[in-house]
Amino acid sequence: MSRRCELTGKAAQVGHKVSHSNRKTKRRFLPNLLNVTVMSDALGRSFKLRVSANALKTIDHRGGLDAFLMKAKDAELSPRVLELKRQIKKKAVTGEVAK
């Protein structure tokens, strides 16, 4: 399983561990990933995703998964989540026509 957030695209970064004597050795900074189940209000079902803690806070701040996906850039989303975004958009359009 890759260490990449499905919503924000956050992945492992490379940097230096710096000792007290200022020696530098390579190290990896890993994102804080969580396996979570999030609910889509438009589709009425839940989805299991691997997201960063930061993305989880942003989902709550924006008012749910649907609102988060509508504002998210397609380049950052995983292919699985892009399909989910497409379904939500389709549901929103058909919901508007039915009213």
Side-chain angles (χ1 to χ4, degrees):
M1 187 180 294
S2 68
R3 293 199 166 124
R4 180 177 293 273
C5 176
E6 290 187 282
L7 297 177
T8 60
K10 284 188 179 207
Q13 294 182 322
V14 178
H16 285 106
K17 184 189 299 185
V18 182
S19 71
H20 182 68
S21 63
N22 208 26
R23 283 190 178 215
K24 295 168 183 76
T25 56
K26 288 274 193 172
R27 64 159 287 188
R28 292 178 73 198
F29 292 92
L30 300 176
N32 184 10
L33 295 178
L34 307 164
N35 293 316
V36 295
T37 303
V38 288
M39 184 76 179
S40 169
D41 295 329
L43 301 177
R45 55 180 266 216
S46 58
F47 298 92
K48 285 189 176 185
L49 299 173
R50 186 168 162 103
V51 300
S52 63
N54 186 32
L56 203 54
K57 286 174 63 175
T58 308
I59 289 172
D60 286 340
H61 181 74
R62 289 190 184 166
L65 180 65
D66 300 341
F68 178 88
L69 289 177
M70 289 303 114
K71 281 190 169 184
K73 296 176 184 169
D74 290 350
E76 295 175 346
L77 301 175
S78 70
R80 207 174 119 215
V81 177
L82 274 173
E83 176 61 26
L84 177 62
K85 181 177 179 177
R86 189 189 63 75
Q87 290 175 5
I88 291 171
K89 276 186 177 178
K90 185 177 178 183
K91 190 76 165 186
V93 169
T94 58
E96 293 294 323
V97 173
K99 287 182 182 179

